[in-house]
Amino acid sequence: MAYQSLRLEYLQIPPVSRAYTTACVLTTAAVQLELITPFQLYFNPELIFKHFQIWRLITNFLFFGPVGFNFLFNMIFLYRYCRMLEEGSFRGRTADFVFMFLFGGFLMTQSDRKSKSQELLTQVLQLDTFIFSWKMYFPISLVE
């Protein structure tokens, strides 16, 4: 019974929010279980272009650090604001929402390349993108 209600709640999440949140949780779980290491995920232009490790263009946005309080709050913020954007401003415009994802990721990747940083990009930038976008569409709402 509880499994069915949890499954129904999961399936009610809009598709892009569901896919991204699930990918983040699964990637973090794989790192926590030591199936992969964070060194296989981070953005490194040399490894991407010289060794063709193309997955690094995506995986650097999926890992939010070790499982803990910080991870829990990041997932709550990600789920909440991503879902509100997809159900509100981008209702019926899934392609636009995916384009916002891709464009935001492109801009963050370019800013990372300019700064010569070797860090994972998700820690602050991805959440800030969603919160900023949400605040632009709902200017009188409070960010909680």
Side-chain angles (χ1 to χ4, degrees), residues 101-138:
F101 255 77
L102 296 174
F103 186 68
F106 173 77
L107 290 178
M108 285 182 267
T109 302
Q110 292 306 311
S111 68
D112 186 65
R113 287 189 67 201
K114 301 287 186 222
S115 70
K116 305 293 186 207
S117 171
Q118 296 280 318
E119 298 174 13
L120 295 165
L121 298 172
T122 55
Q123 290 299 331
V124 177
L125 295 176
Q126 191 70 8
L127 290 174
D128 285 349
T129 301
F130 292 127
I131 293 171
F132 174 77
S133 300
W134 180 78
K135 193 62 181 164
M136 292 300 290
Y137 282 105
F138 303 103

Side-chain angles (χ1 to χ4, degrees), residues 4 6 15 22 26 29 41 63 67 69 74 86 92 94 97 101-103 113 116 118 136 138:
Q4 289 297 326
L6 186 62
T22 302
L26 291 177
L41 304 175
F63 180 63
V67 175
F69 227 31
N74 282 335
E86 193 169 359
T94 303
F97 192 60
F101 255 77
L102 296 174
F103 186 68
R113 287 189 67 201
K116 305 293 186 207
Q118 296 280 318
M136 292 300 290
F138 303 103

Side-chain angles (χ1 to χ4, degrees), residues 57-114:
L57 290 170
I58 297 169
T59 57
N60 61 339
F61 295 106
L62 300 178
F63 180 63
F64 280 79
V67 175
F69 227 31
N70 192 30
F71 173 75
L72 178 66
F73 278 104
N74 282 335
M75 287 300 103
I76 290 170
F77 276 115
L78 175 74
Y79 165 76
R80 178 183 167 103
Y81 292 110
C82 193
R83 182 176 184 165
M84 282 198 275
L85 271 174
E86 193 169 359
E87 287 178 340
S89 303
F90 290 96
R91 179 180 296 279
R93 299 179 5 207
T94 303
D96 291 344
F97 192 60
V98 170
F99 182 77
M100 185 194 77
F101 255 77
L102 296 174
F103 186 68
F106 173 77
L107 290 178
M108 285 182 267
T109 302
Q110 292 306 311
S111 68
D112 186 65
R113 287 189 67 201
K114 301 287 186 222

